Amino acid sequence: MILIFTEIADGAIKKSSLEAIYYGSKVAEMMGTTATALAIGSADAAELAKAGNFGATKVLHANDAKLANPNSMAYASVLAETVKSTGAKVVVAAKSSFADAVTARAAGALKAAVVGNVTELPNLSNGFQVKVSIFTGKAFADVNVNGDVKILAIKKNVVAPVENGNSAAVETISPALADSLFAAKVTETIKATGMISLPEADLVVSGGRGMKGPDSWQPLLDLADALGAATACSKPVSDLDWRPHHEHVGQTGVKVSPNLYIACGISGAIQHLAGVNSSKVLVVINKDPEAPFFKAADYGIVGDVFEVLPKLTKAVLAGK
Amino acid sequence: MKILVCISSVPDTTSKISFIDGDTKLNKAGVTYIIGPYDDYALARAVELKEQSGATITVLNVGGADAEPQIRKALAIGADDAIRVDVEPTDSFFVAEQIAAVAKEGNYDLILMGRETSDYNSGVVHGIVGEMLGIPSFSPVMQLDVNGNEASMTREIEGGKEKLTASLPLVLGCQEPIAEWKIPNMRGIMTARTKPLKVIPAAGSALTTTEKYSLPAPKGACKMIPVEEAEKLIELLKTEAKVL
Ligand SMILES: Cc1cc2nc3c(=O)[nH]c(=O)nc-3n(C[C@@H](O)[C@H](O)[C@H](O)COP(=O)(O)OP(=O)(O)OC[C@H]3O[C@@H](n4cnc5c(N)ncnc54)[C@H](O)[C@@H]3O)c2cc1C
Ligand SMILES: Cc1cc2nc3c(=O)[nH]c(=O)nc-3n(C[C@H](O)[C@H](O)[C@H](O)COP(=O)(O)OP(=O)(O)OC[C@H]3O[C@@H](n4cnc5c(N)ncnc54)[C@H](O)[C@@H]3O)c2cc1C
């Protein structure tokens, strides 16, 4: 059986987790078995049954009140116990810093092989092999995964889910939860509300130092709004506090792989590219025709962002 | 307080990556190795904690002898002694197993790592080590203070951050702005030469092996759109790139 660690945000299965479920169901098909989603936290059964639409035959739901808030140690304990009780041999998760924390501890408990940044379905012709992205997107490795239990963290956009119209049976589970799993006390949570999550986003509009200052961001926000895109920024921009730290992409920030990344006034330093080079389509707007980012781009406009952005926003709104 | 800082030795981000021996090995010629950028933050914070309230810092690398310049650099920045587990680090679980074995021996109060390496960057070694030691692990941590036996931290979460407290011992995966990167000074470089570096053998075996490497397909040329017709971009994204 293939088990998919499924993340829930605001009562709904995260989009990246639906991709992981679809990926898991494809692996199940290849291995002649079935895919089960493990969902932890509060969500109603109708929402969880949607996992079926993406290929899971069953959903195991752990909804103990203690699990209402994400807690990597408690979730990992539930995951490890579920792997043991179901005899699952392969665990799939959509890569995120929370999923990594959960699968890591589960791997420690299960002595499982764990591979991150998987970019394709496995090759089962000779053992169990996956392709992973390495050296911040500059290369790939074909990795043979041995271990009795294998845990795969998949990158966004590695499969394009086809919905099948099915719904999955939802079964509630109540794994034992030791007090020690709740030893850390969360004293404050600061979270932007109503924003499109950057790691989850299909479309991203990002700004660099060429956006001039914290008060001149509106044209970029307007385009993001019109597109329904998440916003991101370069490292100096978050270092200078023009934008919040969680929007910083690159080698030392979030790594994104959206369908579309629009870079506005970003020079395209290699450390920035490290976070965005697996985007499907890269658009660069920069007033300097020699900006290195153009070499990595699919579409480019040489011009002033403050002139170009409003034109783009207008064109998007006109097409709606 | 005893702090263990785990550092990976990785190719500098600006290095050109290529492979040899029928794409089965990284071509190390021309590659500059550095301390993992996130691990550098962990080290810097450890040194700050030492300066503030006293601590001993042991730096640990799982790797071959070619990682020693990076270990010496960490000693120059402010670690007191070093351990190298003498084996190619070819698997996250395997690396974690080595770190956990060293940690068990040393009874550290804090085990600081980077959020992830910049070679295979799975971001899992801290969690595996925490589980193996039966102590809490948190990542990515962007602020850390220690008061007696209590640590207070800020951790990045999707779309924001969260403040939390927990008792030592802890394993943490660090990221900016937890500290400012430190550059070794002349005195540090001199004393680093004589600081103890213990080399120990590895135990266990890797659960994964890399069979072959490849490079991404080269990018096609960038299609330039004249600024006067900027709005045409949206049409192209719809009809040609099909991403809108
Ligand atoms: C010659 C060579 C071949 C390699 N081949 C493989 C391979 O086949 N498969 C593979 O998975 N990896 C391979 N690697 C990369 C390997 O070193 C990984 O970095 C290692 O497996 C750790 O896994 P990770 O990247 O998931 O670490 P992460 O979980 O991303 O690391 C988190 C933190 O753990 C600590 N850490 C990680 N590695 C070490 C280390 N070696 N010593 C001390 N602390 C450390 C650091 O603080 C780091 O920030 C190879 C490296 C070299 C030099
Ligand atoms: C170890 C290390 C890790 C790093 N990690 C990261 C990382 O994770 N992410 C990251 O982003 N950086 C990172 N950096 C920094 C990186 O090297 C660059 O310094 C940074 O990305 C530059 O940001 P920028 O493009 O916004 O600014 P700049 O390099 O200053 O570029 C601004 C660009 O805007 C253009 N411009 C100016 N005005 C206009 C205008 N009106 N209209 C259009 N274009 C305009 C300019 O032509 C220029 O190309 C790292 C550096 C190091 C050493």
Side-chain angles (χ1 to χ4, degrees):
Chain A
M1 195 200 77
I2 313 295
L3 191 67
I4 299 99
F5 173 70
T6 305
E7 280 191 72
I8 294 172
D10 304 321
I13 299 177
K14 279 173 63 174
K15 188 160 169 286
S16 54
S17 286
L18 291 172
E19 287 180 17
I21 291 169
Y22 183 75
Y23 181 99
S25 75
K26 288 287 144 195
V27 179
E29 245 172 69
M30 294 166 79
M31 296 178 72
T33 177
T34 56
T36 295
L38 170 65
I40 307 174
S42 14
D44 58 42
E47 169 63 25
L48 295 176
K50 285 185 193 157
N53 198 12
F54 292 82
T57 47
K58 191 164 150 186
V59 179
L60 297 174
H61 184 206
N63 62 352
D64 190 309
K66 282 192 204 154
L67 299 169
N69 293 316
N71 169 331
S72 54
M73 278 176 281
Y75 281 36
S77 162
V78 174
L79 174 58
E81 286 314 309
T82 310
V83 169
K84 283 186 208 158
S85 64
T86 58
K89 293 294 176 212
V90 178
V91 175
V92 178
K95 187 168 175 68
S96 75
S97 55
F98 182 70
D100 287 345
V102 173
T103 54
R105 290 197 70 107
L110 297 162
K111 206 173 188 317
V114 39
V115 276
N117 301 304
V118 173
T119 63
E120 281 177 12
L121 284 167
N123 175 353
L124 305 181
S125 60
N126 183 14
F128 193 107
Q129 191 179 76
V130 288
K131 194 177 277 304
V132 303
S133 159
I134 58 171
F135 299 122
T136 51
K138 285 194 280 188
F140 298 100
D142 291 327
V143 176
N144 295 320
V145 195
N146 302 318
D148 179 38
V149 177
K150 304 167 173 62
I151 303 181
L152 315 180
I154 64 163
K155 284 190 74 146
K156 186 179 155 58
N157 261 338
V158 307
V159 285
V162 180
E163 300 178 32
N164 61 18
N166 294 346
S167 103
V170 180
E171 181 187 316
T172 303
I173 54 169
S174 323
L177 295 166
D179 286 344
S180 60
L181 298 170
F182 302 91
K185 279 184 285 295
V186 175
T187 53
E188 194 183 348
T189 304
I190 307 148
K191 213 173 158 168
T193 50
M195 301 285 282
I196 296 166
S197 149
L198 174 60
E200 292 275 293
D202 285 328
L203 309 174
V204 176
V205 184
S206 185
R209 218 148 34 181
M211 289 301 299
K212 295 284 181 287
D215 304 324
S216 48
W217 224 259
Q218 200 54 44
L220 187 154
L221 299 178
D222 288 343
L223 177 62
D225 232 18
L227 288 169
T231 51
C233 66
S234 69
K235 174 170 153 64
V237 164
S238 76
D239 286 350
L240 292 163
D241 263 336
W242 296 359
R243 299 294 301 166
H245 188 272
H246 63 258
E247 287 194 2
H248 152 204
V249 294
Q251 186 201 312
T252 49
V254 182
K255 288 158 192 78
V256 294
S257 42
N259 289 333
L260 174 64
Y261 183 87
I262 304 181
C264 312
I266 304 176
S267 58
I270 191 139
Q271 296 90 354
H272 185 82
L273 292 176
V276 304
N277 56 11
S278 56
S279 306
K280 243 184 220 158
V281 174
L282 277 171
V283 174
V284 171
I285 306 164
N286 197 304
K287 68 174 183 192
D288 174 9
E290 301 300 321
F293 218 148
F294 285 118
K295 290 204 180 64
D298 299 287
Y299 296 95
I301 300 176
V302 176
D304 185 330
V305 280
F306 299 103
E307 188 190 323
V308 174
L309 282 168
K311 283 193 188 174
L312 299 182
T313 307
K314 214 172 131 198
V316 173
L317 293 174
K320 275 197 172 163
Chain B
M1 182 162 61
K2 287 183 73 179
I3 307 177
L4 181 68
V5 179
C6 304
I7 61 162
S8 56
S9 168
V10 296
D12 185 352
T13 320
T14 53
S15 302
K16 192 167 159 42
I17 298 293
S18 64
F19 301 101
I20 49 170
D21 290 358
D23 287 334
T24 59
K25 277 204 186 74
L26 175 66
N27 180 5
K28 290 190 178 179
V31 173
T32 317
Y33 281 81
I34 55 168
I35 298 175
Y38 290 106
D39 317 356
D40 237 351
Y41 285 118
L43 177 64
R45 187 62 192 145
V47 172
E48 288 175 0
L49 290 172
K50 175 176 160 178
E51 284 163 357
Q52 280 165 18
S53 44
T56 57
I57 303 173
T58 300
V59 52
L60 168 63
N61 170 260
V62 180
D66 53 357
E68 289 201 3
Q70 283 64 260
I71 300 177
R72 288 286 171 206
K73 184 176 176 202
L75 290 168
I77 287 172
D80 299 289
D81 61 355
I83 301 172
R84 180 169 66 82
V85 181
D86 187 25
V87 67
E88 284 288 359
T90 55
D91 169 52
S92 314
F93 187 92
F94 178 59
V95 167
E97 216 172 4
Q98 312 312 315
I99 295 175
V102 170
K104 264 182 200 148
E105 284 281 306
N107 269 318
Y108 299 94
D109 302 293
L110 262 183
I111 301 174
L112 299 185
M113 304 192 190
R115 156 198 191 141
E116 63 191 30
T117 62
S118 56
D119 50 24
Y120 278 61
N121 70 297
S122 326
V124 293
V125 167
H126 23 75
I128 303 174
V129 169
E131 183 70 24
M132 285 177 166
L133 298 174
I135 62 176
S137 56
F138 301 105
S139 177
V141 175
M142 51 202 296
Q143 175 264 323
L144 163 71
D145 284 297
V146 179
N147 196 344
N149 196 37
E150 281 286 304
S152 61
M153 296 158 275
T154 305
R155 169 165 61 169
E156 188 155 273
I157 56 173
E158 222 170 277
K161 51 194 177 181
E162 159 181 287
K163 292 190 175 172
L164 45 100
T165 60
S167 304
L168 306 184
L170 296 172
V171 186
L172 307 178
C174 306
Q175 73 168 29
E176 58 165 31
I178 195 164
E180 295 275 343
W181 281 329
K182 293 197 168 14
I183 303 162
N185 58 27
M186 211 49 214
R187 204 178 141 261
I189 295 168
M190 297 305 285
T191 53
R193 293 192 189 146
T194 53
K195 285 180 180 173
L197 191 172
K198 195 162 79 179
V199 179
I200 60 173
S205 56
L207 301 178
T208 63
T209 52
T210 296
E211 188 167 303
K212 215 171 166 38
Y213 296 97
S214 53
L215 295 170
K219 263 262 170 209
C222 176
K223 191 169 208 167
M224 300 306 292
I225 297 151
V227 64
E228 312 74 54
E229 304 173 358
E231 60 283 348
K232 286 209 170 137
L233 171 70
I234 301 301
E235 201 48 40
L236 287 169
L237 292 175
K238 282 184 186 159
T239 55
E240 188 177 81
K242 298 194 166 59
V243 288
L244 290 183

